[in-house]
Amino acid sequence: MVIIFTLAIIAIVVETAMSQFILPRFAIEDASFRDACIDVWDDIRTEPGQFALFMLMRILVPMAAGIAFFLVLLIPMLVLIVVGVVIAFVIHSTPHASFYFAPLAWSGIHFALALIFLLTISFSGTLGTWLRNYGILFYAGRYPALRIRLWPPPEPAAPIETASAPS
């Protein structure tokens, strides 16, 4: 279990370093993999604490959000389970109830699964977007070429021509 957890952390760190730090250098500078790795490593050495905190946040925020999402879904899931058990008892105790309640039960199960699926997609999409944005904004503060791409400097205002008085 410890080996799997360690490999998962290593995979997260490698994926984050590639997608958040090395790929922007590929896109902006057309750098080689070696040059991009050297530049990123230099960036990390200049601010090791900030990069370590960033990596910690990239690991802890999804874990905490996943736990919170599970707790939020736990109450509706318990309610649906109780309703399902009651319907199962009614179907089992009444001879003709299965004819009426079985389609209702299957429809309810499908509705509940679709709702959980929709909520999961909505939550994970929002979290994924936030994590990408967090990474881009973090690295833009340390990589001037990315900062210029995100927030280009304003163009200087054109000089105002003054009308000269007729002579």
Side-chain angles (χ1 to χ4, degrees), residues 53-77:
L53 183 62
F54 172 78
M55 286 295 183
L56 185 67
M57 292 293 286
R58 283 286 295 202
I59 294 168
L60 292 182
V61 167
M63 289 172 64
I67 292 168
F69 182 66
F70 173 75
L71 293 175
V72 167
L73 277 185
L74 187 63
I75 294 170
M77 286 172 47

Side-chain angles (χ1 to χ4, degrees), residues 132-147:
R132 291 268 181 232
N133 187 44
Y134 174 60
I136 289 171
L137 294 179
F138 172 81
Y139 200 53
R142 283 129 188 96
Y143 179 35
L146 181 58
R147 184 180 324 120

Side-chain angles (χ1 to χ4, degrees), residues 5-81:
F5 185 73
T6 304
L7 289 174
I9 297 296
I10 291 170
I12 291 170
V13 169
V14 168
E15 187 274 331
T16 300
M18 282 297 296
S19 66
Q20 301 297 326
F21 308 142
I22 293 175
L23 290 179
R25 293 194 178 264
F26 286 170
I28 294 172
E29 298 175 7
D30 197 24
S32 69
F33 181 75
R34 182 179 179 278
D35 292 340
C37 286
I38 290 170
D39 291 341
V40 168
W41 184 247
D42 289 341
D43 291 343
I44 292 172
R45 283 198 332 225
T46 59
E47 291 184 278
Q50 292 295 321
F51 279 88
L53 183 62
F54 172 78
M55 286 295 183
L56 185 67
M57 292 293 286
R58 283 286 295 202
I59 294 168
L60 292 182
V61 167
M63 289 172 64
I67 292 168
F69 182 66
F70 173 75
L71 293 175
V72 167
L73 277 185
L74 187 63
I75 294 170
M77 286 172 47
L78 289 175
V79 169
L80 289 173
I81 289 171

Side-chain angles (χ1 to χ4, degrees), residues 2-4 27 32 35-36 49 57 62 67 82 88 94 96 98 116-117 123 126 128 133 135 145 149 157 160:
V2 173
I3 294 172
I4 293 172
S32 69
D35 292 340
M57 292 293 286
I67 292 168
V82 168
T94 311
H96 298 292
S98 64
I116 290 170
F117 183 68
F123 174 78
T126 303
N133 187 44
R149 293 285 174 114
I160 300 175

